[in-house]
Amino acid sequence: MWGSTSEGHLVVANSNKRLRLSVIGTGYLGATHAAAMSSLGFEVVGIDLDKEKISLLSQGRVPFFEPGLDQLLSDEIATGRLTFTDDFAAASECDVHFICVGTPQAKNSLAADMTFVNGALAAIAPVAKSGSLIVGKSTVPVGTAARLAEELASINAGAELAWNPEFLREGFAVEDTLRPNRLVVGVTSDRAEEILREVYADLLALDIPWIRADLPTAELVKVAANSFLATKISFINAMAEICEAADGDVTVLAKAIGFDPRIGNRFLQAGIGFGGGCLPKDIRAFMARADELGARQALEFLREIDSINLRARTRMIELVRADLGDDLKGRKIAILGAAFKPESDDVRDSPALDIAVQLHGAGADVRIHDPKATENAKRRFPALDFTTDLGECLKGSELILHLTEWREYREIDPSAIAHLVAKKNIIDGRNALDRAKWIKAGWHLRALGVAPVLKAIG
Ligand code: UGA
């Protein structure tokens, strides 16, 4: 039944799926989920209030950068199974509705802003047909699903609510949706589980683990997973601080502890820390919710995780000052990276951009390069100087900061760019560059979490 396209996407040979699906919210999560479900053979309608997004998606164009999604989307639109609209009435014949809207941090608190989730339920509840299942995928404070289930019952007693958290990473959204490492469903009836088993039948056939949970546990799995990942990153960044103080090298430390399978070597990349639309706001919303539940102390440690993370950005600025002196006015700094991580054009809470903004605020002459994220970054910070031309970015700089580990930066030949800069001076904020290569080419290289006087390793 499975095949694959030239792009390596999974495709189904026939499309005799019984269920019809709607996907509400067409951001990174929803657009990917809609296209992926269509590629499993379902008829899918994606719904979003943003008319411009709907128009682009309907033409098979993805309004953001996500590797592989543009191809999958246009393939699926071409099958006729996948459509997009801003009209909720289009969902009235669907059997399963996935809520995939965002839950950003609220403006004036640590809590999640639930406006979009509440709005999505209010819009879908009256049109959902009897017997249909409304499935939340958004990351929400525990207790949300139970509250929404009650609201749903009061509007439309024939429909049912379930929760099915999503664990996809930006940059790997298609792969993570079609080959997740687990499927978690929070349900209150066997029937709801059966429907979700039917939706994910092709993935279950691949032996992907299936976990049935109650509603609160399903919601908690997601925030617990993101909190654990954030903790792992801040742990290694705390070790980075110690290594700096004790003349050690956090990259060697991380490699060495990572060989212990109980620890594992992933998410131990020390540097300027985590950002994006998920980890930072999720740990904060989790703390806010624990407070409401009277369990504040249990998550007190996440406050420290958050401050270690933000401190990594400050440590980067301190390294810059140690190098260029306290007065940064007019100092030429080239910044490599604006996205919160490579393979993404997302600049939400990007550590790289935050550092650039702080240096700009201190009067430095900052020029920022990113292969994909300059448009989004410019929209947020129009006063900053962005370029997609690497040579332009480096020209005349006294210091380069490597802040997002795009492959093209790792592939730079340090000898080949030496003539562009005023000074062969670089700080690796992601511990991703080949140090030996740069030092051998005569560069003064420092990195977060390593002794100030670098030894070339490897
Ligand atoms: C994260 C989770 O990894 C996904 O499982 C989850 O589904 C998603 O949030 C979500 O809640 O929707 P994502 O935000 O796409 O995914 O990014 P990650 O790959 O987790 O990276 C987060 C940040 O941590 C990035 O800024 C990255 O640069 C940083 N990071 C990651 C490190 O600083 N060190 C590491 O070792 C790994």
Side-chain angles (χ1 to χ4, degrees):
M1 144 163 245
W2 290 95
S4 72
T5 66
S6 55
E7 295 290 308
H9 294 135
L10 299 170
V11 289
V12 277
N14 56 3
S15 60
N16 53 1
K17 296 285 167 76
R18 187 177 62 83
L19 299 174
R20 272 186 284 184
L21 318 181
S22 86
V23 175
I24 301 154
T26 58
Y28 293 93
L29 167 57
T32 310
H33 193 66
M37 291 303 107
S38 168
S39 80
L40 295 179
F42 295 105
E43 220 176 275
V44 183
V45 58
I47 306 175
D48 203 295
L49 298 179
D50 185 334
K51 287 189 181 353
E52 202 184 314
K53 234 189 220 174
I54 289 302
S55 155
L56 285 171
L57 288 164
S58 302
Q59 298 164 45
R61 289 161 60 197
V62 183
F64 46 85
F65 174 67
E66 181 58 48
L69 183 56
D70 37 7
Q71 186 63 49
L72 184 70
L73 182 75
S74 48
D75 287 353
E76 292 311 313
I77 299 257
T79 66
R81 285 191 298 265
L82 178 60
T83 54
F84 291 93
T85 177
D86 61 352
D87 183 2
F88 275 83
S92 61
E93 290 309 310
C94 293
D95 306 284
V96 185
H97 311 277
F98 289 99
I99 296 182
C100 296
V101 295
T103 51
Q105 186 173 338
K107 287 246 168 351
N108 302 314
S109 78
L110 294 185
D113 178 349
M114 299 301 291
T115 313
F116 303 117
V117 170
N118 296 340
L121 186 89
I124 195 66
V127 297
K129 72 176 179 187
S130 184
S132 66
L133 187 65
I134 298 177
V135 184
K137 288 191 83 65
S138 307
T139 304
V140 292
V142 60
T144 301
R147 172 175 66 77
L148 296 182
E150 261 179 45
E151 275 171 42
L152 177 62
S154 71
I155 304 170
N156 181 344
E160 191 178 344
L161 193 105
W163 218 262
N164 167 218
E166 177 58 57
F167 305 101
L168 68 80
R169 298 158 297 167
E170 287 177 26
F172 299 90
V174 173
E175 189 184 322
D176 286 353
T177 305
L178 287 169
R179 299 278 178 133
N181 46 30
R182 78 285 209 193
L183 285 160
V184 178
V185 295
V187 290
T188 52
S189 73
D190 289 342
R191 185 179 162 275
E193 183 185 3
E194 275 158 29
I195 294 174
L196 285 165
R197 276 188 180 275
E198 192 174 337
V199 169
Y200 292 121
D202 290 334
L203 307 190
L204 288 172
L206 301 171
D207 277 342
I208 287 163
W210 177 263
I211 295 152
R212 173 177 172 159
D214 52 32
L215 294 177
T217 307
E219 292 166 309
L220 281 170
V221 169
K222 174 60 193 276
V223 281
N226 275 4
S227 298
F228 193 87
L229 294 171
T231 301
K232 225 177 159 187
I233 299 169
S234 276
F235 174 83
I236 203 63
N237 282 334
M239 293 305 109
E241 291 185 39
I242 299 294
C243 283
E244 279 166 22
D247 253 9
D249 184 334
V250 73
T251 62
V252 179
L253 181 147
K255 187 171 168 189
I257 63 172
F259 277 115
D260 182 334
R262 293 169 303 174
I263 296 173
N265 58 11
R266 316 243 339 240
F267 268 66
L268 281 184
Q269 186 90 15
I272 56 172
F274 58 82
C278 303
L279 300 193
K281 63 101 177 159
D282 285 352
I283 61 170
R284 292 172 195 153
F286 200 11
M287 283 187 272
R289 186 64 185 134
D291 240 351
E292 289 171 1
L293 293 169
R296 180 192 174 109
Q297 227 181 346
L299 297 187
E300 205 54 74
F301 75 98
L302 287 179
R303 259 170 248 284
E304 199 49 44
I305 298 308
D306 200 7
S307 52
I308 292 169
N309 189 51
L310 295 176
R311 206 153 66 223
R313 303 177 190 186
T314 314
R315 285 168 41 234
M316 188 69 191
I317 309 272
E318 280 164 7
L319 260 188
V320 171
R321 288 193 197 279
D323 191 90
L324 296 179
D326 264 348
D327 184 6
L328 296 177
K329 273 197 201 72
R331 306 304 296 269
K332 276 187 172 307
I333 303 175
I335 293 194
L336 303 187
F340 85 105
K341 67 171 190 183
E343 299 305 323
S344 172
D345 64 353
D346 195 346
V347 296
R348 286 176 293 171
D349 202 348
S350 163
L353 205 47
D354 188 11
I355 289 165
V357 167
Q358 290 190 48
L359 292 172
H360 172 78
D365 179 356
V366 171
R367 186 164 288 175
I368 307 152
H369 176 271
D370 193 285
K372 298 284 178 198
T374 54
E375 285 303 314
N376 284 342
K378 205 173 179 57
R379 226 169 286 135
R380 266 176 203 237
F381 298 104
L384 266 62
D385 187 2
F386 295 98
T387 175
T388 48
D389 180 332
L390 189 57
E392 237 350 89
C393 173
L394 299 177
K395 209 190 276 170
S397 71
E398 303 167 70
L399 176 62
I400 301 175
L401 304 184
H402 175 239
L403 301 186
T404 309
E405 68 278 34
W406 285 97
R407 194 166 71 183
E408 70 174 272
Y409 301 150
R410 294 202 304 273
E411 288 173 352
I412 288 174
D413 173 355
S415 305
I417 60 161
H419 69 282
L420 290 169
V421 297
K423 231 172 143 191
K424 294 204 293 191
N425 204 6
I426 183 162
I427 304 178
D428 185 1
R430 289 294 187 182
N431 280 300
L433 298 177
D434 179 345
R435 287 185 206 162
K437 186 168 88 174
W438 286 80
I439 293 171
K440 212 165 137 209
W443 284 71
H444 181 228
L445 183 146
R446 272 131 316 124
L448 281 182
V450 290
V453 182
L454 265 185
K455 308 127 200 167
I457 302 169

